[in-house]
Amino acid sequence: MKFSLLQKVFSSILLIVLSPILVVTPTYGLDEYYRFPEYSSPEKIQFEKERKLCIFPLRNLTGDTSLDFYSSGYASVIYSGLKSLTQIYDEVLIPKSIQHAFGSNPSNALLNLREGEWDYSKLEKLKKGELALGVGKDPRYLILKVQPYEAETPPDEGFLIPVSRKYDCFYSIYGEYEKKGEEIKLNIRMRSSKDGSKKEFSHKTSVRRSYQELGPIIEELRKTLLGKHTKALSVKTGNLYDALVFIDGDYVGKTPFKRSDILSGIHDIKITKNGFGEWVGQVDLRESSKELDITLEKDKKEGFITVSSDPVGAKVYLGSEFLGVTPLVKVPVKIGWNRLRFVLGEHVDQFKGVEIKKGEVAEISVKLKEGESVSYYKNKKYVFLDHTYDDFAIYSLYGSLFFYAGYYYFNLRADQALENARPMVQITNFVALQELQNSSPNFQTFATSYFYQERIYDDARDKSEYFRSISGRFGKHQGVQGGLMLYGIGTMLILSATFYALGLDSETLEVGVAPVKTMPTFVRGIEGQYETESYAKFHLRF
């Protein structure tokens, strides 16, 4: 009580002292203090792009365990009927993030909205139909991932929410079945995590054709998930078959293609087939269904090459194909990696590696040297008799291995010299020296024993240091100490790198091996089908 009274008195005195300051000092609102009115931030909303549908086994209410196989079987059949459903529509969008606007924003100011970001006015225009966008950019069209969980325990109403959270399910399909006579009655429910709502579907089927007669209930589930009326789309490619059809980036089938459950809207279409150029376009299914008959043109797989030489008039070969005489301008050739050869009388043949890219022009220019090709490249290749720079580089590496073996051997001998002396020397520390002194009858005996062991140790150490001086030292704690073997290793490695570098002149390289590119480009969505962009499909030595 006393302490509380003192606090009140002290607070009153403090307010009286500070009152002149409070009166004189101007006060600011929070917005004015941080100058919020001088800044503005537009409204930015980002929406979800993908939802997941989980299909769980149905509960067996018959009590007959012989019918338990239907539990996961129904889930598999429902999954088979819904797995082709990759896109759904929902008018009520769920925001993933919202940045609220603040500050002044003049009506003529342009909003800096990135792709996938929306504001209220733009969203209203989209909903009123004043803004026409393709399905890929319209946030109301969502990707649907369908996943079955046949091995999961059939959930009831109480267990569904935790198991749905476990697998991050937006939609969950579950239910039960019961046999009555020769019929099976199914009660299937689909729960949405958006608002916790449930939709129920009932169906009766015969026991004998239970799986085959699930079509009607699967169709009801599809219509509910789609969320919007659909249109039919058929795609043909003339007399060609098995062209791959992609809608909004998803593979949907091969030509001739026909489906009646495509959501109405503006869709991006891509059609590809090996050996033909791909067709890319859009189809508007907002008002009516469409039939497309696309003509695919054969892919020429061509690039171009422009070649010049000094002096002019050289014959040009791309691989084994004769292209003509320089200068050559924009000659069509097959794409991929290959080698150019320039041939001109009384001049050394020149070689150049080149990559031809589809639709692009590769420009090559060379300066030819006077001389004879055979003698020129032979002198370039051979250093001594039949031995090349590459050979001497390899020999030097072998030499470094020889010196390393010597380094290891002499280090081993150095260690053995010390180990051989160890049994004959007991005075390895101060305690051992005291024991020797205590065990000796007199000082003369102690001195004789001490100097004898000291002589053995000195001889062993001298022999060890001699071997170390030959091998050298190379270690984390010892650092690098010179020795004949270490000098030999370093010399051989330097010689190997030198010989290798001498053999790396551009002419020898280009005569030797042409660069090869064999990485295939896979068609997205179809396993095992690919299209290679390489002309040379194997390592080709010249």
Side-chain angles (χ1 to χ4, degrees), residues 188-206:
I188 295 178
R189 288 176 286 278
M190 183 173 71
R191 179 184 174 273
S192 170
S193 62
K194 180 171 70 174
D195 52 8
S197 62
K198 290 185 295 184
K199 292 191 177 180
E200 298 192 9
F201 307 88
S202 297
H203 182 67
K204 288 183 179 180
T205 175
S206 63

Side-chain angles (χ1 to χ4, degrees), residues 136-313:
K137 295 183 177 181
D138 191 330
R140 296 172 296 181
Y141 293 85
L142 301 162
I143 298 172
L144 183 68
K145 300 292 184 182
V146 184
Q147 183 68 44
Y149 293 96
E150 297 100 329
E152 188 66 46
T153 303
D156 56 13
E157 292 290 344
F159 185 62
L160 180 67
I161 293 177
V163 76
S164 297
R165 288 177 178 172
K166 174 183 175 182
Y167 295 113
D168 195 23
C169 309
F170 191 94
Y171 301 105
S172 300
I173 292 179
Y174 64 106
E176 58 272 344
Y177 61 94
E178 186 176 8
K179 180 184 176 185
K180 293 185 177 181
E182 294 300 318
E183 287 185 337
I184 290 183
K185 182 180 179 181
L186 292 91
N187 290 316
I188 295 178
R189 288 176 286 278
M190 183 173 71
R191 179 184 174 273
S192 170
S193 62
K194 180 171 70 174
D195 52 8
S197 62
K198 290 185 295 184
K199 292 191 177 180
E200 298 192 9
F201 307 88
S202 297
H203 182 67
K204 288 183 179 180
T205 175
S206 63
V207 176
R208 180 173 295 183
R209 293 181 54 83
S210 182
Y211 292 154
Q212 293 87 341
E213 295 176 354
L214 285 182
I217 201 167
I218 292 174
E219 189 59 31
E220 287 186 54
L221 288 168
R222 288 178 69 89
K223 289 180 180 178
T224 304
L225 286 165
L226 282 168
K228 190 180 183 181
H229 55 280
T230 58
K231 298 290 189 298
L233 175 66
S234 66
V235 181
K236 298 179 182 179
T237 48
N239 297 325
L240 295 176
Y241 294 93
D242 296 332
L244 310 179
V245 181
F246 295 83
I247 299 180
D248 301 318
D250 294 315
Y251 169 72
V252 292
K254 297 180 179 181
T255 57
F257 168 82
K258 187 172 184 178
R259 275 180 61 171
S260 59
D261 60 347
I262 308 296
L263 286 168
S264 61
I266 303 173
H267 295 271
D268 296 320
I269 306 291
K270 183 171 74 172
I271 303 171
T272 67
K273 184 175 176 63
N274 285 339
F276 294 84
E278 70 178 20
W279 183 90
V280 178
Q282 285 189 330
V283 58
D284 191 347
L285 298 179
R286 288 178 295 178
E287 301 298 332
S288 61
S289 301
K290 290 288 191 302
E291 294 183 1
L292 301 179
D293 194 350
I294 306 300
T295 301
L296 297 179
E297 296 182 359
K298 280 198 171 184
D299 192 354
K300 295 181 180 180
K301 297 283 184 184
E302 281 186 351
F304 302 93
I305 189 168
T306 295
V307 185
S308 62
S309 67
D310 181 16
V312 298

Side-chain angles (χ1 to χ4, degrees), residues 367-440:
K367 183 175 179 62
L368 301 174
K369 301 176 181 179
E370 294 184 0
E372 185 183 5
S373 298
V374 175
S375 59
Y376 178 83
Y377 284 116
K378 184 173 182 179
N379 292 335
K380 279 278 183 182
K381 184 177 181 182
Y382 296 106
V383 181
F384 178 76
L385 296 180
D386 290 334
H387 301 284
T388 66
Y389 285 116
D390 289 342
D391 294 334
F392 281 110
I394 296 298
Y395 300 156
S396 299
L397 281 178
Y398 289 153
S400 66
L401 292 177
F402 170 77
F403 281 107
Y404 178 76
Y407 167 80
Y408 181 80
Y409 169 74
F410 286 111
N411 268 296
L412 184 63
R413 289 292 303 272
D415 292 338
Q416 285 178 343
L418 293 175
E419 288 295 327
N420 291 338
R422 189 178 299 277
M424 296 182 288
V425 178
Q426 285 83 31
I427 51 172
T428 57
N429 52 44
F430 181 74
V431 175
L433 184 63
Q434 277 189 325
E435 289 180 356
L436 177 63
Q437 184 179 4
N438 295 333
S439 62
S440 299

Side-chain angles (χ1 to χ4, degrees), residues 107-126:
S107 58
N108 57 353
L110 296 176
L111 297 180
N112 185 22
L113 294 175
R114 299 178 182 176
E115 185 175 355
E117 294 180 341
W118 295 81
D119 66 347
Y120 180 77
S121 60
K122 185 180 176 183
L123 198 60
E124 283 298 305
K125 287 181 180 179
L126 182 70

